[in-house]
Amino acid sequence: MTRLAELVPDEASAYRFLEDRRWKGTPTCCHCASTNVAYLNPENGCTRRTRTGAASARRVWQCRDCRKQFSALTGTVMQGTKISVRIWVFVMFEIASNKNGIAAREVERRYGLTPRSAWHLLHRLREAMATKTIAEPLGGDDTVIIADETYIGGSLKTMNRKARQRLDAVPVKPGSREGGPGWNKASVLSLLDTRTGEVRSQVMLDVTGKSLRKAIADQVQMSGSVLWTDEAKAYRMVATEFAAHEAVNHKASQYARYRNGTTISTNAIESFFSQLKRSLDGTHHHVSRKHLARYLGEFDFRHSTRKMPDTVRFSMLVERTEGVRLAYRPLIAA
């Protein structure tokens, strides 16, 4: 972080920093993708004046082909922001490098933002992290795919009266029994590609065989992959479409078994769930069901890139901000 502060001492340098990582030395028009562009202002790093007379360090370019103006923020989650670009750069590095994530209240105190601005900023970055830049499905070539489900939410035993009243208004999920395991929580399915280390998670309405089969089929090349799961019966419907299926019986205290020198286990995805739940509980304290998908995308991104240096992961996040928008009103109305 200290090194980053030296590289980005002011607002103009923050713009140049993003330009280098987005355009790789070749400025490109954000409207027509032309490289026939010209730099406009501010000249020599000087602060320019906007039409209202306010000082601005925004670096502006113009395309010679379509004649439109643009900056390094155009077409990204940062477009139209009133928050300092330098703050954006610092928060991007923090959310990319801190494995437990960063809470909106921390950003609020550290950078002097309002609670709503800090919350909106982080959700825009989570939206960028959750956006899949690689369209290829997981698996293939006899790759092992580990699938498991978990439940996110509070425990009935520790809820107060108001929390229980709010819960009474939530309909019971199809296929679940009121009062049974996870009936009052959000169901999450995660898939881990053991060859690449990539994790993809999604919020599920239920964890029946039909819904799991659809979710897995959308993400995995099933015919050429091997599926590892626990003893849950819901996976039997989709397991027949894989090249092979191996399971461990957690109910019988079996967490790993061995076959032909291979350790069959779901511990890798359980480790991901452990980090996810500790971070949600310790850093964010509470995550609503309607925004849970973005938090899952954030943790998927960090886990999938966990073996990369922080600087590489940060550069990947900067690239993912392009083509992603998340306005405040649709966010709170979701």
Side-chain angles (χ1 to χ4, degrees):
M1 193 68 179
T2 303
R3 174 62 175 162
L4 182 61
E6 294 174 354
L7 291 174
V8 188
D10 52 36
E11 194 74 354
S13 61
Y15 273 96
R16 287 192 290 268
F17 185 83
L18 291 178
E19 289 173 358
D20 291 340
R21 275 146 186 81
R22 182 177 181 183
W23 295 327
K24 305 297 189 298
T26 306
T28 305
C29 177
C30 302
H31 305 286
C32 67
S34 172
T35 56
N36 185 20
V37 300
Y39 176 70
L40 292 183
N41 51 39
E43 297 293 344
N44 302 320
C46 300
T47 302
R48 68 184 180 92
R49 295 287 173 178
T50 64
R51 61 184 178 181
T52 62
S56 173
R58 178 173 176 262
R59 289 169 55 84
V60 181
W61 299 73
Q62 185 173 34
C63 178
R64 292 191 178 98
D65 293 334
C66 68
R67 309 302 299 171
K68 293 182 179 179
Q69 296 183 4
F70 61 93
S71 73
L73 309 187
T74 304
T76 71
V77 292
M78 297 171 280
Q79 181 173 331
T81 183
K82 291 181 172 58
I83 300 173
S84 165
V85 179
R86 191 166 181 257
I87 292 177
W88 272 98
V89 172
F90 289 160
V91 176
M92 267 195 283
F93 182 81
E94 288 200 59
I95 198 173
S97 59
N98 295 345
K99 70 176 184 177
N100 291 323
I102 180 171
R105 287 294 184 178
E106 292 182 68
V107 174
E108 172 198 345
R109 292 191 300 268
R110 192 170 302 168
Y111 299 104
L113 302 179
T114 63
R116 288 195 302 178
S117 294
W119 183 77
H120 186 202
L121 185 155
L122 288 174
H123 268 299
R124 281 182 281 182
L125 292 179
R126 292 186 185 107
E127 185 74 11
M129 298 169 92
T131 301
K132 301 297 186 297
T133 56
I134 301 176
E136 290 81 8
L138 300 175
D141 300 327
D142 293 328
T143 300
V144 173
I145 300 296
I146 303 177
D148 201 5
E149 75 286 346
T150 191
Y151 303 95
I152 306 295
S155 172
L156 288 173
K157 296 180 180 179
T158 59
M159 285 185 182
N160 56 31
R161 178 175 56 83
K162 290 184 177 180
R164 287 177 179 270
Q165 290 174 348
R166 289 195 300 268
L167 188 60
D168 290 338
V170 179
V172 178
K173 291 178 293 186
S176 62
R177 177 176 59 84
E178 183 172 351
W183 76 271
N184 63 310
K185 301 184 181 184
S187 305
V188 173
L189 170 69
S190 290
L191 305 170
L192 171 64
D193 188 316
T194 57
R195 177 172 53 88
T196 62
E198 182 180 359
V199 175
R200 296 185 188 178
S201 305
Q202 65 182 95
V203 181
M204 304 288 293
L205 177 63
D206 54 57
V207 288
T208 60
K210 184 177 179 179
S211 60
L212 287 178
R213 192 250 170 230
K214 183 180 184 305
I216 295 175
D218 290 342
Q219 297 287 341
V220 180
Q221 183 181 339
M222 296 190 291
S223 60
S225 307
V226 177
L227 180 65
W228 288 2
T229 67
D230 57 18
E231 74 284 354
K233 296 180 180 179
Y235 291 105
R236 294 179 182 178
M237 178 182 294
V238 68
T240 57
E241 301 183 49
F242 279 81
H245 175 221
E246 302 288 350
V248 290
N249 191 349
H250 290 168
K251 289 184 178 179
S253 299
Q254 181 189 58
Y255 298 97
R257 61 188 182 85
Y258 307 93
R259 173 177 291 182
N260 300 328
T262 301
T263 303
I264 300 170
S265 172
T266 61
N267 289 344
I269 202 70
E270 297 287 355
S271 176
F272 169 74
F273 287 150
S274 176
Q275 178 66 60
L276 171 67
K277 291 186 175 182
R278 285 200 309 270
S279 300
L280 291 181
D281 182 55
T283 300
H284 303 288
H285 304 308
H286 171 73
V287 174
S288 64
R289 186 179 305 212
K290 67 180 180 180
H291 297 303
L292 177 59
R294 294 189 192 89
Y295 288 91
L296 294 177
E298 173 190 349
F299 284 91
D300 285 351
F301 174 80
R302 277 198 301 265
H303 189 86
S304 300
T305 58
R306 65 192 182 280
K307 295 184 179 180
M308 298 180 182
D310 290 342
T311 52
V312 176
R313 191 183 308 110
F314 169 64
S315 296
M316 287 183 62
L317 176 55
V318 173
E319 293 175 2
R320 287 197 177 200
T321 60
E322 188 173 354
V324 181
R325 299 297 303 278
L326 182 63
Y328 185 74
R329 286 186 179 179
L331 175 63
I332 61 177

